[in-house]
Amino acid sequence: MGLLSILVWLPLAGALALLAWPRSNEGGMKLFALGVSLANFALSVVLFRQFVPTEAGMQLVENYPWIASIGASYHLGVDGISLFLILLTTLLSALAILSSWTSIHKKMKEYLISLLLLETGMLGVFVSLDLVLFYFFWEAMLVPMYLLIGIWGGERRLYAAVKFFLYTMAGSVLMLIAILVMYFTHQRETGKYTTDLLQLYGTHFSASTEMWLFAAFFVAFAIKVPLFPFHTWLPDAHVEAPTAGSVILAGVLLKMGTYGLLRFSLPLFPNATQTFTPLVIALSVIGIIYGAMVALVQPDIKKLVAYSSVSHLGFVVLGLFALNLQGVEGSILQMLNHGVSTGALFLLVGMIYERRHTRLIADFGGLWKVVPVFSVLFMVVMFSSIGLPLTNGFVGEFLILVGAFKDHPLATVLASTGVILGAVYMLWMYQRVVFGKLENPENQGLKDVNTREKWVLAPLIVLILWMGVYPKPFLARMEPSVQKLLTEVRSRQAVTALGLHAASPEVKR
Amino acid sequence: MDLKWIALVPLFPLLGSVINLFLGRRLSKGVVGTLACAAVLASFAVSVGAFFSLNAMAPEHRQVVVHLFDWIDAGSFHVPFAFLVDPLSVLMILVVTGVGFLIHVYSTSYMEHDEGYARYFTYLNLFTFSMLVLVLGSSFLTLFVGWEGVGLCSYLLIGFWYEKKSASDAGKKAFVVNRIGDFGFALGMMLIFWTFGSLNFTEVFSGASRFAAGEPVMTTICLLLFVGACGKSAQLPLYVWLPDAMEGPTPVSALIHAATMVTAGVYMVARCHVLYMLSPTAMGVVAVVGGVTALFAATIGLVQNDIKRVLAYSTVSQLGYMFLALGVGAFSAGIFHVMTHAFFKALLFLGSGSVIHALSGEQDIRKMGALKGPLGRTYFTFLFGTLALAGIFPFAGFFSKDEILWNVYNTNRVLWVVGVAGAFCTAFYMFRLVFLTFFGESRLTSEAKHHLHESPPRMLVPLFVLAILSVVGGWIGLPLMPGGNPLTHWLDPVFGPEAAVGGEGAGHGLEIGLMALSLGVALFGIMVAWLFYRKTPKLPVALGASMKGAYNMLLNKYYVDEIYGAAIVRPFFSLSGMLWTFFDVKVVDGVVNAVGRFVRGAGSAARGLQSGYVGGYALAMVLGLVVVISYYFIK
């Protein structure tokens, strides 16, 4: 087994081991699960070290025939696009487990198993280069998330869980149909049955088929992102999910959508991408502004952060469809940034929720007085979310906007207002929670962050500053792969354009 | 000194800030304050060294880029983190660290009894760091780091007394309004990048020679950048945050909202003079906005009763003069005024701080009076600042303001009249302030009276130094000097010989005449103030009553905040609320839930298959899949 396989299956192995764990030994289970996730993070660091920064193609590839009868293969690989998403996943998974130390009061065993299964699913999605394998992980990941919300969630957890499940399933079904259509089209064209992504990249579709395929994939991914107007599952899911669930959901799961767009939609359907670009950009810009405006009026901190995600992910999609180096690299960076910053925000909200059992902004005020360290950390994270220069948020956001400005200046102007609005809703929330006089007596005895909580937040704070001050190690590793992908997309757009020219007289005849 | 050491200039305050952030609460106040002051003093020393090194070089070589590290690289987008050392940036860092140091020293005493002492100096050092990055940055994006950084520090320091709602409101307002400006600035940067293929000053400015004057893209770039300048330097229509910024501790007002941060916009436009010179339209806009703001804010200043607010509106007004100078192409005159204004406005704010300190927090000039005796030293220095601001010979403000007005006169007579009218208002409101605060009968509350005391040396010494600078600071820009004054001469490598715009050609006689005229106008303003507030104190009351409409208009600052609130803020919030409760909840979720109900209805037919426990079969599904894969995998 290669490194990628170990990385993917180690959490599952951990989960299986937990199955056999005596239920009474909760402390041991937690330590074990944390150990597994930390080991996996260490493995991903090894992966990072082995990764050759200058290479554009897939690395550490594992490719075995799998279900030979249908042409599916067990094909894994990593490139500059997925590398950091893998690191993000392993880091956030470990932090999610560490953050749940004292906040889960029932079914600890199942909880840890769900988190580990989730990690396997997410990593699988990022390394799969075969559509069947990808689809398997894509679906598999859904279940533990569903359980996390449905079992360990808040009061309306069932509604939220079912809504999450149905929304995502609706998208998945469309994607499955699209995969089948591609599968058979490719066979008709080449006589060979395969679900290997890299082979499918070259498939030629008729213009209308390509449109439909693009649309099907797009809806699946747009729901996941979530892009306006497919976003209403997100606030409910976030509000009801336990902290770790929210962290993973915002930090990694949403990136599945944007990752999918980049890995599948753009290179598989370059012409449809071109056709749909105006629509997609319009939706992202609406999402940016709409998400920010709705975030502004939320009474619940978690819901506010959820809607802010809609806004931030709008930026990511905008950057992807800018279809140039700045935009796409900015987008990938922003995926990571959002994972780090919003992950940290959810962790902070979770800490305060664990102490006060409320997340309503109105229940707080004047917290600086009692929890100064918490307040400072909260502020750092907030400014990273606002995109202050020298924090991670700025680099990603600015690159996206620079990229988008080239071909879509008007959309960029509108999107940039999101940067103003981001400051408005965040600062206003922060003011009402942290500043002012401490008037609610229940906040009087609040304890500041403890050592474990500091350890949960420290890596994220370090990343916030590192990626803001010196993003070079990140950008340098993305660039060759992004360049390759864009060249492919563009060349195929060009080829088809030529092909259409050549073909048109025939059509007339 | 090797100029690569320039990196130390921002580094010292950054270190000071970081140390105080982590250890401040454990260190004694003495250590915290000393550390913060020492950091800025060290930066000042390095800045002086940089000045001499630069001075030793041939004028045409006085432009050195010091590369620190690669910051953002994405394809052709390449922005290093680097500093540009040239006469302009060195002048700015001297002012920032010099005035900044004095204000740090003053603060060690002013903030002595505040429990957030370490937090205060953490912010103050962080601010100094940001401001230094702003003026040293060698590209638009590095400048922007400092640009947003000072915005952050401003937010933190205005809202320093966070338990006060008005303070945290003001901090938030400052940040948001600045962000509106930054929105324009950021778009400007994007357009610059796609126009010039770079964001580095040297490449952009040398690339600008390819463009003819008046090309629309230049105008667009310049106007977008100017939106940023309006936010940071508090010009119409984005000035509204600055008066509210007076919620912060007074030394903060002195440093940030008078001497340094607010001049960032002026600095930026001056830095980009190559671009602005290519767009007469943008220059016109800069001049008009500056001129109108200068007069507009001065008229509000006429009737304010809060000592700091009068000074705040005066700052807005003086910044207007600086833009007026830039707009008519008198870049070095604008920078000259940045410098003299830094001296005398810092002095005035610190002086007002000394008064407020002495009266245990009283800021209303209607409750002051007759402080000349008990606060003799403060009064003396405050008077120096006032004379400088009013533009009286031979104080610093006289020279810089006059150079501006002279250049404006040669370009546009209407704006000149506006500028002179503003000068009259300035002299009037400043002496109104002096008379009401230090002369007449004492209107102190008994508590304030009891508490009354002159400030300690650590506050007075900075006042003395600034008072001296408020006089001699102007002498490096003496007018009528053959071959230009020393300051213009120093800035020549940056702005080029300035004679083209006006200045030299028009004859010394006229220049002297205009000088005398504007001096006369200022003296007239002082006289009217004396008449109103010393000779016949009933006069202003009667005047206010007879012109109630105009008086209320000014007292309420033209109702601008109210108009913004009613026209923008409140509608925006209600629209946001509607989007949520109607569109999200009713429309989108309505559809989703309807689909859900439909599915459930269809599903009930197949109920036999459902165990009802979703978790159960979901888990079964995963396990089933795992088995299938493992089978194929092991096989």
Side-chain angles (χ1 to χ4, degrees), chain A residues 55-78:
Chain A
E55 205 171 303
M58 288 295 164
Q59 305 187 29
L60 295 157
V61 174
E62 298 172 34
N63 196 354
Y64 313 105
W66 176 33
I67 314 176
S69 51
I70 60 166
S73 55
Y74 179 80
H75 189 180
L76 309 182
V78 58

Side-chain angles (χ1 to χ4, degrees), chain B residues 436-584:
Chain B
L436 286 175
T437 308
F438 295 102
F439 289 83
E441 282 168 25
S442 173
R443 299 177 297 278
L444 269 57
T445 58
S446 56
E447 193 212 329
K449 226 172 224 159
H450 176 72
H451 189 267
L452 192 62
H453 64 283
E454 179 59 291
S455 296
R458 264 186 294 159
M459 286 167 67
L460 287 178
V461 171
L463 289 181
F464 291 145
V465 177
L466 286 168
I468 294 167
L469 286 171
S470 296
V471 186
V472 302
W475 298 353
I476 64 160
L478 286 184
L480 309 175
M481 301 253 289
N485 61 51
L487 183 79
T488 316
H489 204 62
W490 171 250
L491 291 173
D492 259 355
V494 183
F495 298 129
E498 219 160 84
V501 188
E504 311 264 326
H508 287 338
L510 185 61
E511 189 174 357
I512 295 170
L514 287 173
M515 250 182 234
L517 180 70
S518 74
L519 186 61
V521 166
L523 290 171
F524 180 60
I526 296 174
M527 209 187 75
V528 176
W530 177 79
L531 197 68
F532 272 33
Y533 296 100
R534 294 290 297 137
K535 186 90 191 323
T536 45
K538 288 202 182 72
L539 206 59
V541 183
L543 197 66
S546 70
M547 294 164 57
K548 210 155 183 63
Y551 178 74
N552 278 334
M553 187 85 163
L554 291 181
L555 192 64
N556 290 295
K557 308 141 204 160
Y558 297 100
Y559 299 97
V560 172
D561 276 319
E562 287 76 7
I563 294 168
Y564 283 0
I568 303 168
V569 181
R570 275 194 295 282
F572 187 78
F573 270 73
S574 21
L575 178 64
S576 301
M578 250 161 56
L579 284 180
W580 178 40
T581 50
F582 178 73
F583 192 79
D584 235 54

Side-chain angles (χ1 to χ4, degrees), chain A residues 1 5 9 12 66-67 74 117 136 140 143 146-147 151 159 163 166-167 228-229 231-232 236 290 293-294 296-299 303 307 324-326 329 368-369 372-373 376 379 382-383 386-390 394-395 398-399 401-403 405-406 412-413 416-417 419-421 423-424 427-428 430-431 434-438 468-472 475 479, chain B residues 21 25 69-77 81 115 119 123 129 141 144-145 148-149 152 155-156 159 162-165 167-172 175-176 179-181 183 186-187 189-191 193-194 199 224 572-573 575-577 579-580 583-585 588-589 592-593 596 599 613-616 618-619 621-623 625-626 628-630 632-633 635:
Chain A
M1 275 212 289
S5 284
W9 298 113
L12 177 71
W66 176 33
I67 314 176
Y74 179 80
L117 283 180
F136 161 72
V143 180
Y146 171 80
L147 296 178
I151 297 176
Y159 171 74
K163 197 170 175 183
L166 288 182
Y167 246 113
F228 176 91
H231 63 277
T232 62
D236 286 312
Y290 182 88
M293 286 178 77
V294 177
L296 187 64
V297 290
Q298 295 307 313
K303 226 167 181 168
Y307 276 107
N324 53 29
L325 271 178
Q326 289 79 23
E329 282 185 47
W368 192 299
K369 204 97 202 168
V373 179
V376 170
M379 183 181 275
M382 170 184 74
F383 275 108
I386 289 177
L388 197 77
L390 297 190
F394 174 71
V395 184
F398 193 74
L399 280 176
L401 291 172
V402 165
F405 190 88
K406 188 176 184 216
T412 309
V413 172
S416 299
T417 60
V419 178
I420 304 175
L421 299 179
V424 177
L427 293 181
W428 192 39
Y430 188 83
Q431 178 190 25
V434 172
F435 293 150
K437 279 206 171 56
L438 189 88
V469 176
Y470 198 61
K472 199 178 173 185
L475 291 170
E479 186 146 327
Chain B
L21 172 68
R25 285 195 297 173
F69 56 89
D70 290 334
W71 184 26
I72 304 181
D73 272 312
S76 57
F77 188 88
F81 207 98
E115 56 177 308
R119 188 161 59 92
Y123 295 166
F129 161 76
L141 212 60
F144 195 65
V145 170
E148 286 249 299
L152 164 72
Y155 165 79
L156 296 171
Y162 58 85
E163 286 184 280
K164 240 169 96 187
K165 174 122 186 345
S168 63
D169 274 344
K172 184 181 61 184
F175 195 88
V176 171
R179 265 268 156 141
I180 297 174
F183 157 81
L187 289 171
M189 285 197 285
M190 293 170 209
L191 190 53
F193 175 71
W194 291 115
L199 283 175
L224 285 171
F572 187 78
F573 270 73
L575 178 64
S576 301
L579 284 180
W580 178 40
F583 192 79
D584 235 54
V585 176
V588 182
D589 265 2
V592 172
N593 291 338
V599 171
Y613 180 42
V614 191
L619 199 64
M621 184 173 120
V622 170
L623 289 177
L625 282 166
V626 168
V628 171
I629 303 178
S630 335
Y632 279 102
F633 196 56
K635 189 191 74 167

Side-chain angles (χ1 to χ4, degrees), chain A residues 255-317:
Chain A
K255 310 315 175 307
M256 305 274 166
T258 46
Y259 172 78
L261 288 172
L262 185 56
R263 179 71 85 211
F264 297 89
S265 299
L266 303 191
L268 282 170
F269 320 115
N271 298 298
T273 298
Q274 210 169 21
T275 316
F276 276 101
T277 293
L279 175 70
V280 179
I281 285 189
L283 288 181
S284 358
V285 171
I286 294 174
I288 291 169
I289 297 171
Y290 182 88
M293 286 178 77
V294 177
L296 187 64
V297 290
Q298 295 307 313
D300 181 310
I301 309 176
K302 229 176 164 184
K303 226 167 181 168
L304 184 147
V305 180
Y307 276 107
S308 85
S309 294
V310 176
S311 184
H312 285 167
L313 270 294
F315 277 107
V316 176
V317 177

